[in-house]
Amino acid sequence: MKAIQFGSHGDRDVIEYGEFPDPEPARGEVLFDVKAGALNHLDIWTRRGLPGIDLEMPHIPGSDAAGVVEAVGEDVTRFEPGDHVAVSAGVACGECEFCRNGEASLCTSFHIIGEHVRGVHAERAAVPASNLVPVPDGVDWAVAGSVSLVFQTAWRMLQTRADVEAGETVLVLGASGGVGHAAVQIADHAGCEVFATASTEEKLSHAEDCGADHVIDYETNDFAAEIAELTGKRGVDVVVDHVGEATYPDSLKSLAKGGRLVTCGATTGPNPGAGLNRIFWNQLSVLGSTMATPGEVDDVLELVWDGTFEPRIRETLPMSEAPRAHELIENREGFGKVVVKPDSEF
């Protein structure tokens, strides 16, 4: 088969699309023909190299993909050949106290397909059956292959960790990205008043289409000052921030007293000043969030499959153009998800 792969960490020039040994489904695994997958910022960090993660090389990236089951390994009963499936990339042990309590995303050995182990951006992939979800007939492959990671992440952030309620105000930073545009839709669906930041008029327009009530160009405006003006100096109840060091101080500043900042990542750096004086004086909560539990995945994907939530696709490329796909993510070009398909699917 052919697969996107790299044999060493580095810039986009380490990416290749070439021959790779065909996978075989082990016990408990499912082999599927990949019809479409999508990139996430995680793929960029994995390619560059993440501290503490020693990957088997060559590495196939990719945490999102969907396709048709070709074969199943021993002990697999949930799926059979011909089924349509999508990957849910979080792998848990199923045995620790967190798994037993239904909090698999807090598993003591939690890891992610495509980040810690080989991913699914290839013509075929074999993954544990527990990491696949059924896809209804008629769902477009680009949709099925691009929603799981970002929508489950945004769903847990807002519904579980921040516990948003109708009538609350929510600020989503980086609304043009995968998690950002999912968070705008989820907050709007929850009945919240949604504020969103992006860097161009086109991206701001897309954010409004996703459900944002107010949009802020963070390139030309101080978003914390804009939030103060738009809310009569009150601030918002919740800030969704996956940007990190560059935005964290103003995220805290944007919160109302008793507000919650929820974060799932730090693309501009993980170590901002703590801002403890603002946190304790305004009685703020800073909440971390990673991926989602299987039940949360099922809840949010049901709303994708029925059309309530819609991933925006900025571009669909053949896997042989993976370096360009990475470039789109790195340069923040466009709005929404970047989809890749095996060249044989074009």
Side-chain angles (χ1 to χ4, degrees):
M1 71 170 186
K2 287 190 173 181
I4 299 172
Q5 56 194 285
F6 52 84
S8 62
H9 295 296
D11 207 342
R12 294 188 295 272
D13 59 1
V14 303
I15 304 170
E16 299 178 3
Y17 182 62
E19 293 297 327
F20 200 91
D22 285 319
E24 295 289 339
R27 180 189 295 269
E29 290 189 337
V30 171
L31 174 69
F32 68 100
D33 292 322
V34 175
K35 298 297 184 181
L39 272 71
N40 297 283
H41 274 284
L42 183 58
D43 296 305
I44 308 302
W45 306 130
T46 303
R47 189 201 76 224
R48 293 174 178 171
L50 288 164
I53 298 179
D54 185 17
L55 293 174
E56 181 182 359
M57 295 291 185
H59 179 71
I60 298 175
S63 302
D64 272 327
V68 180
V69 173
E70 180 179 318
V72 299
E74 192 176 349
D75 295 338
V76 174
T77 58
R78 291 181 60 218
F79 301 103
E80 59 185 27
D83 286 348
H84 291 192
V85 294
V87 174
S88 179
V91 181
C93 72
E95 299 176 357
C96 69
E97 63 174 298
F98 300 105
C99 288
R100 293 196 304 270
N101 292 333
E103 284 290 350
S105 64
L106 291 171
C107 173
T108 53
S109 61
F110 187 81
H111 61 281
I112 299 173
I113 292 171
E115 178 183 10
H116 303 86
V117 297
R118 281 179 179 155
V120 290
H121 286 173
E123 290 183 315
R124 297 181 189 86
V127 301
S130 56
N131 286 102
L132 291 175
V133 295
V135 176
D137 291 344
V139 174
D140 184 82
W141 287 122
V143 170
S146 65
V147 294
S148 177
L149 192 144
V150 295
F151 273 88
Q152 68 174 276
T153 298
W155 182 264
R156 180 172 175 83
M157 291 176 78
L158 286 162
Q159 294 289 342
T160 303
R161 300 294 288 141
D163 193 21
V164 295
E165 297 181 355
E168 289 193 306
T169 49
V170 176
L171 168 63
V172 178
L173 302 184
S176 64
V179 169
H181 92 296
V184 169
Q185 294 181 61
I186 292 167
D188 177 58
H189 179 70
C192 299
E193 183 178 1
V194 184
F195 302 76
T197 72
S199 60
T200 68
E201 286 299 321
E202 181 182 12
K203 291 178 181 180
L204 294 171
S205 177
H206 281 300
E208 289 178 318
D209 289 342
C210 286
D213 300 291
H214 314 275
V215 292
I216 301 167
D217 185 337
Y218 66 79
E219 294 279 12
T220 59
N221 296 284
D222 178 334
F223 75 81
E226 288 290 306
I227 289 296
E229 181 176 342
L230 290 167
T231 62
K233 297 185 179 181
R234 176 187 181 273
V236 295
D237 298 300
V238 175
V239 173
V240 176
D241 186 344
H242 50 88
V243 182
E245 287 183 17
T247 53
Y248 178 82
D250 282 340
S251 290
L252 292 181
K253 194 183 299 185
S254 299
L255 285 169
K257 288 182 179 293
R260 295 99 75 196
L261 185 155
V262 59
T263 177
C264 68
T267 57
T268 61
N271 297 307
L276 292 178
N277 56 338
R278 188 179 294 276
I279 289 173
F280 70 69
W281 188 253
N282 289 339
Q283 300 186 51
L284 307 178
S285 298
V286 178
L287 306 166
S289 189
T290 297
M291 304 289 283
T293 66
E296 291 163 341
V297 173
D298 290 341
D299 287 344
V300 70
L301 290 185
E302 182 177 346
L303 294 170
V304 174
W305 306 149
D306 71 12
T308 300
F309 300 143
E310 178 187 355
R312 302 306 200 267
I313 309 297
R314 71 177 84 172
E315 194 155 348
T316 301
L317 297 168
M319 287 187 177
S320 59
E321 296 183 23
R324 172 58 180 156
H326 279 238
E327 183 180 29
L328 285 165
I329 300 292
E330 289 181 288
N331 293 345
R332 298 183 290 121
E333 298 179 40
F335 186 97
K337 299 291 292 180
V338 177
V339 172
V340 290
K341 293 183 176 182
D343 285 36
S344 56
E345 292 295 321
F346 277 81

